[in-house]
Amino acid sequence: MLPTIAREGDVVVMIDQRKLPARELYVRCKTAPDVARAIKTMVIRGAPAIGVAAALGLAVGMRRSKATGTQKFAAEFQKTCELMASTRPTAVNLFWAIERMKRSFATGVRAGGSVDQIKDRLDREAQLIHDEDVASCRAMGAFGAAVVPDDARILTHCNAGALATAGYGTALGVIRGAVEQGKRVAVFADETRPFLQGARLTAWELVRDGIQTTVITDNMAGALMRQKKVDLVVVGADRIAANGDTANKIGTYGVAVLAREHQIPFYVAAPLSTVDLHTPDGAHIPIEERDAREVTHVGGAQLAPEGALIWNPAFDVTPHQYIGGIITERGILRPPYVESLKRAVDNVPGPRDPAYIS
Amino acid sequence: MLPTIAREGDVVVMIDQRKLPARELYVRCKTAPDVARAIKTMVIRGAPAIGVAAALGLAVGMRRSKATGTQKFAAEFQKTCELMASTRPTAVNLFWAIERMKRSFATGVRAGGSVDQIKDRLDREAQLIHDEDVASCRAMGAFGAAVVPDDARILTHCNAGALATAGYGTALGVIRGAVEQGKRVAVFADETRPFLQGARLTAWELVRDGIQTTVITDNMAGALMRQKKVDLVVVGADRIAANGDTANKIGTYGVAVLAREHQIPFYVAAPLSTVDLHTPDGAHIPIEERDAREVTHVGGAQLAPEGALIWNPAFDVTPHQYIGGIITERGILRPPYVESLKRAVDNVPGPRDPAYIS
């Protein structure tokens, strides 16, 4: 299992994804602000992984609290939740995980628990979020493998792999699931400018797994499809609106349009924690804009001249019409998504299900 | 005028396009092999500029010949032509320019000229190719400006600018033509991985001209169009087949598909020297594959892990159905291109026109 994120005592350890594939370095976060900074600066990224990081960050952060009374502890917790929520705006898993931690906290308070008991409860909840994420990915992999033909040539964009989750991956989980079922696959990884998650992370983890991986620049996907070298596209998601519109890494929309032009099935793989029924459609999903320097520089190399303007949205929205299916831990959802998403989410144990609050 | 390529005595001087925008360095080519190497290693690139470079390279190369008899001189010339033709396979302007130089040579031999007289003739022909290229670009600019609305937001891919020609540019010539006609424009430049001609070259020369330019990564074009921020796409070409299918920098095809999806006019701007009536359609255009390292590394930074495969085609083919018009120095050609291209080419003075061989 790839060491994306783990808890060691009261420290959250993450592999530094900014340094891959050249170096395998680990960042040790001792406090909640450490974790928040790691999320913001993309030491860790990927919607499910961000959720897990926020939960573990809240747990280790509150573990350090010196508050003795529940009220002061609750005020600190609220502030720490706000800090975590301020890190990145688009991926909804972050807010979902914070919400779960809040519910756990509230349950602890209602049960009359001490500060130490609530700390224990937060620890367990964060670990559960972590472990459930891996389990979700494995379930997605098992369901998703059904849509992968043998000898499939699969295009993916960005990194929706072990590094984007607590382990195994969403889109790459589907690929791993197919491989586990004995299918032969060859993967094409869009390099995914500007942060290069495809070239740096997807290729790195698939090569480690012995899965044949070809890196292409993002603008090669069209030519690749036209030459009939792609059987299937599968990508992750940062937020899925109630109607199925999906925010994912910038460039996903272009891949979806190309896939439809070439009649290639286009799938999104994501846990139900990525679904946001409170957002009616893609137009309502906030899209993070990141620093111009991500575009203008790679390493020490200056790629664009002084004086040029830069546009750097981190995500785009793929309208639901382009999506052939959404692979979740509960099965593959099909259009109309406004119905299938609601049915799947209502069924899931989680913050919205009172039975879950134990 | 940008100093893309010029002759100084018996030296061909080129700005080193690999070093822009960080540094403005010049490469001085004293021999034909120097020029061939500069083309191959992309000191100079862009279909029309490559043609001009080959012509100037042949002229300075033959100027250095010590041959005293026409026969020996002709053998050397033939070898030098083969060297130039071996540099890059896709852009047809290279072969067109070599062909023009061969015709000029043959005419000189037929006229019973001395070696020195033939050298003079080659000099004049090469300079004519250079000067005509600038004139063609200016004509394209004047014709093309008609399709640019005022306050146009124009997306372009790669660099089809002054740096890709002897001066002024093809696609960027259209933009410059619109500006000269008093129209306000804002340009979006795809960065154009892997060689980054958009970020490095297009942005550099447009910023120099005071034209507002926003650099985006290639995978942002879809989101940009969906947000209705693009009124027009104009790109260059490396080879236009008889039916209008157009080879251009990798990624052009994807932009064309996206443009059609969003009902945005998509234009190709190229001199008629880019048209190859001997190639029936895009499937017959040879596509250069370049070194993997262009994809895996930027500057000193390693972007992809060892063990990953790389696909690096330098060009793709945009089928004629996606092209709204081809802007040439003779006017804007419209479908059916199989007719409009033939008519335009047959009309042009050039190697195919006996009247030209003077």
Side-chain angles (χ1 to χ4, degrees), chain A residues 188-203:
Chain A
F188 288 96
D190 283 346
E191 66 171 7
T192 317
R193 279 280 290 151
F195 205 68
L196 295 158
Q197 292 95 332
R200 297 192 303 102
L201 309 179
T202 292

Side-chain angles (χ1 to χ4, degrees), chain B residues 180-216:
Chain B
E180 283 183 20
Q181 292 184 10
K183 291 173 177 169
R184 283 162 299 188
V185 302
V187 177
F188 288 95
D190 282 346
E191 66 171 7
T192 317
R193 281 280 289 150
F195 205 67
L196 296 158
Q197 292 95 332
R200 295 193 304 103
L201 308 179
T202 292
W204 181 78
E205 63 170 86
L206 291 181
V207 166
R208 263 174 77 119
D209 275 12
I211 295 172
Q212 182 191 310
T213 306
T214 304
V215 174
I216 61 172

Side-chain angles (χ1 to χ4, degrees), chain B residues 1-75:
Chain B
M1 180 74 75
L2 274 170
T4 306
I5 182 165
R7 181 159 173 179
E8 291 180 7
D10 287 339
V11 177
V12 181
V13 184
M14 309 170 186
I15 192 163
D16 190 341
Q17 302 197 21
R18 303 166 306 181
K19 302 293 195 293
L20 290 171
R23 282 180 296 166
E24 289 183 33
L25 295 176
Y26 290 83
V27 171
R28 298 174 61 82
C29 299
K30 295 179 185 168
T31 67
D34 286 351
V35 172
R37 200 174 311 113
I39 295 172
K40 209 176 175 82
T41 61
M42 293 171 73
V43 169
I44 192 165
R45 27 61 54 199
I50 290 173
V52 171
L56 290 172
L58 282 169
V60 302
M62 296 321 295
R63 177 59 65 190
R64 288 184 168 268
S65 169
K66 296 195 169 62
T68 48
T70 308
Q71 209 167 347
K72 178 136 193 293
F73 189 63

